Amino acid sequence: MDILENFRILDLVDILLVATLLYYLYKLVKGTVAINIFLGICIIWVIWKITQLLQMEMLSTILGQFIGAGMFALIVVFQQEIRKFLLMIGSTNIGRKTGFLKHIKFLQDEAKDTSDTKVEEIIDACEKMGQSRTGALIVIQRTTHLDFVKQTGDEMSIEVNRPILESIFFKNSTLHDGAAIIEDNRIVATRAILPVSNERNIPLRFGLRHRAAVGITEKTDAVALVVSEETGNISYLKDGEFVLFKNLTELIEILRKDLS
């Protein structure tokens, strides 16, 4: 009864915020090796609280010291996950043009809408390149600027269309190596060098293009399309993960939604 009498609205808000935080943390590490580490930490924390409640001083002190010192180790262990978590927060609708930031003039460039990107043209180009076994790597910018990778390639300013994309990745073209960067429905860079992921869970059948696509989508909120030179299959990557789709129509819908 005392608990109910002293219960405040702020306590409810506190519980909801913690639940939301845990949900996003679980969503972030779900399906990765990190989920086992995350669950192990949760179990140790619960045991620590139980030992405190039961006044088991020695075990409680040991676990408390472990948890206190372990926080620094967790920053190292979950380095990639922390980066993705911060990107997840920074890339929500709060920072988009449709949100309240559209009223702040100096932040309008940071909140550009990418919904005008010609998704069909990009997917059509990928389909044609897949049929001819032409390898391709296309990165589409969302809210995170990609200047650090654009500077590694050749600067361009060409409106997105299927023939241009096909000519860029044509096997005898001088521009086919590296990635093409698309920003605001314009191809702004070709032959861009992307950071390659060191993730060991990537199947061995995927080559350097796929690892580069995983790397750039891990470090930014950009999305990437990869056409395999060996199989002609199209892969779509977001948040460092492969996004499954049944057909190209569904892929167009997914990509349009992610860019809106």
Side-chain angles (χ1 to χ4, degrees), residues 33-44:
V33 178
I35 186 64
N36 297 325
I37 301 174
F38 177 72
L39 291 175
I41 292 168
C42 291
I43 291 170
I44 291 174

Side-chain angles (χ1 to χ4, degrees), residues 117-118 121-122 138-139 150 154-169 173 175 180-191:
T117 302
K118 293 180 180 178
E121 293 280 339
I122 298 171
I138 301 170
V139 178
K150 287 191 289 186
D154 300 324
E155 290 189 14
M156 299 279 178
S157 183
I158 309 171
E159 187 173 347
V160 170
N161 62 71
R162 182 176 59 80
I164 288 294
L165 287 171
E166 289 185 60
S167 64
I168 287 173
F169 292 106
S173 170
L175 303 176
I181 311 297
I182 294 177
E183 175 186 343
D184 299 330
N185 201 45
R186 302 192 72 81
I187 302 167
V188 295
T190 56
R191 294 203 303 174

Side-chain angles (χ1 to χ4, degrees), residues 99-250:
F100 71 90
L101 292 183
K102 67 181 180 180
H103 301 294
I104 306 177
K105 186 175 182 180
F106 72 90
L107 285 175
Q108 284 182 351
D109 289 338
E110 300 290 334
K112 288 179 179 176
D113 191 355
T114 55
S115 59
D116 293 333
T117 302
K118 293 180 180 178
V119 173
E120 292 84 355
E121 293 280 339
I122 298 171
I123 301 303
D124 285 346
C126 289
E127 182 182 16
K128 294 294 183 182
M129 290 187 287
Q131 292 171 355
S132 61
R133 297 293 193 274
T134 301
L137 175 52
I138 301 170
V139 178
I140 306 174
Q141 176 178 302
R142 293 204 289 172
T143 58
T144 307
H145 284 298
L146 300 176
D147 293 341
F148 72 102
V149 291
K150 287 191 289 186
Q151 293 171 359
T152 65
D154 300 324
E155 290 189 14
M156 299 279 178
S157 183
I158 309 171
E159 187 173 347
V160 170
N161 62 71
R162 182 176 59 80
I164 288 294
L165 287 171
E166 289 185 60
S167 64
I168 287 173
F169 292 106
F170 180 64
K171 294 177 182 179
N172 295 328
S173 170
T174 58
L175 303 176
H176 79 281
D177 283 330
I181 311 297
I182 294 177
E183 175 186 343
D184 299 330
N185 201 45
R186 302 192 72 81
I187 302 167
V188 295
T190 56
R191 294 203 303 174
I193 300 173
L194 305 183
V196 178
S197 174
N198 294 320
E199 180 60 55
R200 296 183 179 181
N201 291 333
I202 302 174
L204 294 176
R205 67 178 182 274
F206 294 123
L208 196 59
R209 282 194 182 93
H210 292 85
R211 286 192 169 274
V214 173
I216 191 63
T217 56
E218 279 179 341
K219 293 176 172 57
T220 71
D221 71 338
V223 293
L225 290 159
V226 184
V227 181
S228 172
E229 192 171 352
E230 289 74 23
T231 65
N233 293 334
I234 301 171
S235 300
Y236 177 54
L237 293 101
K238 175 187 174 185
D239 297 329
E241 298 179 354
F242 289 82
V243 178
L244 300 179
F245 53 91
K246 296 178 182 177
N247 49 51
L248 295 183
T249 301
E250 185 178 358

